[in-house]
Amino acid sequence: MLSEYKSKKISLSTDAFILSPFDVLNVYRHRLRDFFNFDYQVECFVPKPRRKYGYFSLPILIGDTFVARMDSKANRKQGILTIHNIHFEPIPLTKPMVFKICDALKSFATFNQCDEIAFEKSNDNALLKTIRHALS
């Protein structure tokens, strides 16, 4: 019976997932650092001048790699998801990965009852330009 489990392979999704800061994966910061080399903190508890990524930054995961984090606010009355900051991790992103991020952003906007996505800033303006173009 144990051999049955050993022979099964685990396959990771290649989709992009925007995670809540309170997702079980994010709760134990030391595990994120140790297993994923991802240093994460919910910055709503950090004084504004010391925040790096934003008030309520959300990790973005593809497979077993954290590729970005974003701070956003949904204005449901206007139907606009404003991304105050999208910060890309220092890893190479392929075109398919960028399109997966776009798909996740669209889904996230829809989930938050928003038809439009507006970006304010990013640490990678070239990548942000590509995402803006893909979403238009």
Side-chain angles (χ1 to χ4, degrees):
M1 185 164 164
L2 186 58
S3 62
E4 279 181 44
Y5 294 111
K6 287 183 180 180
S7 66
K8 292 189 180 196
K9 294 202 178 208
I10 296 173
S11 61
L12 295 174
S13 173
T14 60
D15 291 338
F17 296 95
I18 299 172
L19 303 176
S20 162
F22 307 110
D23 187 282
V24 70
L25 189 59
N26 298 322
V27 172
Y28 300 103
R29 291 180 57 201
H30 66 282
R31 288 185 184 165
L32 282 175
R33 267 193 314 272
D34 294 346
F35 297 137
F36 298 98
N37 195 28
F38 185 68
D39 189 20
Y40 179 72
Q41 179 178 12
V42 181
E43 293 187 340
C44 59
F45 305 116
V46 173
K48 188 174 183 175
R50 291 189 18 229
R51 292 183 194 144
K52 293 164 98 178
Y53 306 108
Y55 179 80
F56 201 72
S57 80
L58 308 170
I60 302 175
L61 178 72
I62 298 178
D64 63 353
T65 305
F66 286 92
V67 296
R69 54 186 98 203
M70 71 173 196
D71 180 40
S72 62
K73 174 88 171 142
N75 184 330
R76 290 176 183 85
K77 287 182 182 177
Q78 293 181 349
I80 300 172
L81 175 70
T82 301
I83 298 178
H84 300 295
N85 183 21
I86 185 162
H87 178 90
F88 298 96
E89 297 302 311
I91 59 166
L93 293 176
T94 64
K95 266 190 180 179
M97 291 170 84
V98 172
F99 290 126
K100 296 285 184 171
I101 293 170
C102 291
D103 290 343
L105 292 171
K106 286 185 222 174
S107 295
F108 190 76
T110 300
F111 174 79
N112 283 284
Q113 302 166 6
C114 296
D115 302 319
E116 193 178 319
I117 301 173
F119 295 90
E120 291 183 348
K121 74 175 192 174
S122 173
N123 66 325
D124 188 328
N125 290 325
L127 192 50
L128 181 57
K129 183 178 178 182
T130 301
I131 288 174
R132 280 185 170 134
H133 183 265
L135 291 173
S136 62

